[in-house]
Amino acid sequence: MDIRNPWRRNPWFESVAVAQQRAKHRLPAPVYAALVAGSERGQSREDNEAAFAEIGVVPVVAGQPAERSLSTTVMGQRIAAPILISPTGVQAVHPDGEVAVARAAFARDTLMGLSNFASRSVEEVTSTGALTLFQMYWTGDRDVMVSRMQRAADAGAVGLIITSDWSFAVGRDWGSPEIPERVDARAAARLAPSVLRRPVWLWQFARSGGFPDLTAPNLAPRSGPAPTFFQAYYEWMTTAPPSWADIAWAREQWRQISGRPFMLKGVGRVDDALRAVDTGADAISVSNHGGNNLDGTPAAIRMLRPIAESVGDQVEVIMDGGVRRGSDVAKALALGARAVMIGRAYLWGLAANGQAGVENVLDVIRGGLDSTLMGLGVRDVHDLRPHHFVVPPDFDRPLGATGHTAPSDTRGSVRTPAREGAGV
């Protein structure tokens, strides 16, 4: 065994932390830095993980169920465990990118979130058999958005995610590297010192035909080449943010095109959650964009319970941000989530060992969830409740509830009169 690289002969890893360590060892420093960076000082990114550690468990000493049920239904799809693949942008940590992730999602019977900034097309991803949720940012005019919805529906996407929680806070106080628009000779020369230090990663891409062109195929027009990542980003930045009426319009368009479920991702406020219900959303994701939006936003798990309690069973509540182990999943479910999404965790697995690495991460988290249920004496994931954990009294952050009023929406609102008196 090579002491400098002890996992070379045994690619399996026993925790997400080890997957992260191996990803760091395998990836060029700028690529790894792009995975871990958060906006500005990284306060929200750090709190996403740290908040879970504040919640303790209440184990039982006997009477644990011999068998536990982890299966659930999300957006009309039965999945093996309440752990979904969150959509993330260009996955250039491995040559197979989103296709490898989709194959892992299919193998582990879960939902695959696919970003419209992905490096692989929705058609390639759905061809793996993975149940795919196509994610769109609010970018381009309405005709363009409808055409993208139609393409996703035609490819077989089982649901649509609209993400509208990024305010283009691109500043990074630490770690986030420059990303080239194209990996041409000039960019290769600039990146060479860090890339040459990672020969295995370099060899993987060389064997697959070279470095990926950083384009966004899911944003390609009906005729013509796909835009580069930065061209797509410019379109996004120059598109006016959506109003609540716009979100309702998007939901209706998707309903007419496909009849399939719709999720609004990035909800952090009680009043926004109630407005999302009014738009007809089938699901919401409580999220701070992995700490990549406004730094100082509370951890997603802190915002979860007030939102879940406010919407009740009117909409499915998903949570993403900081999930690294199965006990984190159990805590989120106890505080009101139907399921969680993972992002950085599976990207580390992808970097460490491709499709098998993503499957490994899903197995580790699922196994940890099962162990937590057994230790708590809980038979089914749907039976998890706050009393199974020690939650500090000041843990929750009820943003947008009484005392946190929402800004006025000058471009139209779909709020109903019944909601206006709800103390939000």
Side-chain angles (χ1 to χ4, degrees):
M1 179 178 291
D2 188 337
I3 296 176
R4 294 169 300 172
N5 189 1
W7 46 79
R8 180 167 293 164
R9 295 184 181 179
N10 180 16
W12 187 85
F13 41 82
E14 63 274 12
S15 71
V16 173
V18 174
Q20 180 179 1
Q21 180 187 38
R22 297 186 185 181
K24 184 176 182 179
H25 181 87
R26 182 177 292 266
L27 295 174
V31 179
Y32 177 75
L35 291 186
V36 298
S39 62
E40 297 182 336
R41 73 180 68 185
Q43 177 180 340
S44 294
R45 183 198 62 82
E46 292 175 0
D47 195 36
N48 274 347
E49 290 190 58
F52 280 105
E54 296 180 21
I55 302 175
V57 296
V58 183
V60 299
V61 72
Q64 297 94 332
E67 297 181 358
R68 281 78 55 194
S69 174
L70 307 185
S71 179
T72 192
T73 302
V74 175
M75 294 184 74
Q77 302 295 327
R78 174 64 61 174
I79 54 177
I83 306 158
L84 283 58
I85 297 294
S86 185
T88 62
V90 179
Q91 296 176 7
V93 300
H94 188 277
D96 295 335
E98 293 84 359
V99 170
V101 177
R103 288 171 178 157
F106 177 76
R108 293 300 182 264
D109 192 17
T110 192
L111 287 161
M112 163 73 181
L114 178 68
S115 171
N116 64 359
F117 282 158
S119 60
R120 296 297 188 96
S121 71
V122 63
E123 292 83 6
E124 288 179 278
V125 168
T126 55
S127 70
T128 66
L131 298 171
T132 303
L133 302 175
F134 185 70
Q135 178 264 348
M136 291 175 52
Y137 289 103
W138 194 264
T139 173
D141 62 32
R142 286 191 170 191
D143 288 343
V144 166
M145 293 181 207
V146 169
S147 69
R148 290 169 182 164
M149 293 182 199
Q150 185 66 61
R151 178 180 173 183
D154 291 345
V158 299
L160 182 73
I161 301 172
I162 292 288
T163 302
S164 62
D165 71 329
W166 200 6
S167 54
F168 308 107
V170 297
R172 301 289 191 271
D173 288 358
W174 54 275
S176 187
E178 174 191 0
I179 300 174
E181 184 170 9
R182 290 183 176 87
V183 185
D184 53 18
R186 190 173 188 178
R190 189 170 66 253
L191 297 172
S194 59
V195 171
L196 292 174
R197 294 189 183 99
R198 296 293 185 264
V200 174
W201 186 82
L202 179 61
W203 175 77
Q204 280 184 325
F205 276 93
R207 187 179 61 172
S208 69
F211 293 106
D213 191 10
L214 298 182
T215 60
N218 292 312
L219 297 178
R222 289 189 178 92
S223 60
T228 67
F229 179 84
F230 288 97
Q231 288 170 339
Y233 191 84
Y234 178 78
E235 179 189 85
W236 182 19
M237 291 188 70
T238 54
T239 302
S243 67
W244 281 106
D246 290 330
I247 298 297
W249 169 85
R251 174 65 188 100
E252 183 58 28
Q253 294 303 308
W254 179 247
R255 190 192 307 273
Q256 292 178 13
I257 289 170
S258 71
R260 300 165 197 165
F262 175 96
M263 178 192 297
L264 180 64
K265 187 174 183 297
V267 177
R269 300 171 56 109
V270 169
D271 48 3
D272 280 352
L274 293 171
R275 284 179 166 179
V277 171
D278 290 342
T279 68
D282 302 284
I284 58 175
S285 179
V286 178
S287 171
N288 61 18
H289 212 106
N292 281 292
N293 187 24
L294 293 179
D295 199 27
T297 305
I301 188 69
R302 298 188 193 278
M303 301 184 289
L304 174 60
R305 181 160 54 171
I307 289 173
E309 291 178 348
S310 73
V311 300
D313 60 1
Q314 299 177 88
V315 65
E316 292 181 356
V317 178
I318 314 301
M319 192 224 78
D320 70 87
V323 174
R324 301 290 184 266
R325 50 193 60 82
S327 60
D328 295 342
V329 180
K331 292 169 184 178
L333 300 183
L335 296 186
R338 188 171 189 86
V340 303
M341 287 183 173
I342 60 171
R344 289 182 177 92
Y346 80 78
L347 290 174
W348 292 328
L350 178 65
N353 197 28
Q355 175 185 340
V358 179
E359 293 175 10
N360 195 158
V361 164
L362 289 169
D363 289 345
V364 164
I365 297 177
R366 180 178 176 177
L369 173 60
D370 184 60
S371 295
T372 303
L373 287 180
M374 182 171 67
L376 296 176
V378 175
R379 189 176 301 277
D380 192 291
V381 289
H382 299 98
D383 296 333
L384 286 164
R385 295 294 183 272
H387 69 259
H388 293 115
F389 297 91
V390 182
V391 184
D394 61 347
F395 183 80
D396 296 331
R397 300 293 187 270
L399 308 184
T402 303
H404 292 272
T405 57
S408 61
D409 188 341
T410 58
R411 289 171 293 157
S413 171
V414 295
R415 293 282 289 153
T416 63
R419 290 270 185 243
E420 298 301 336
V424 296

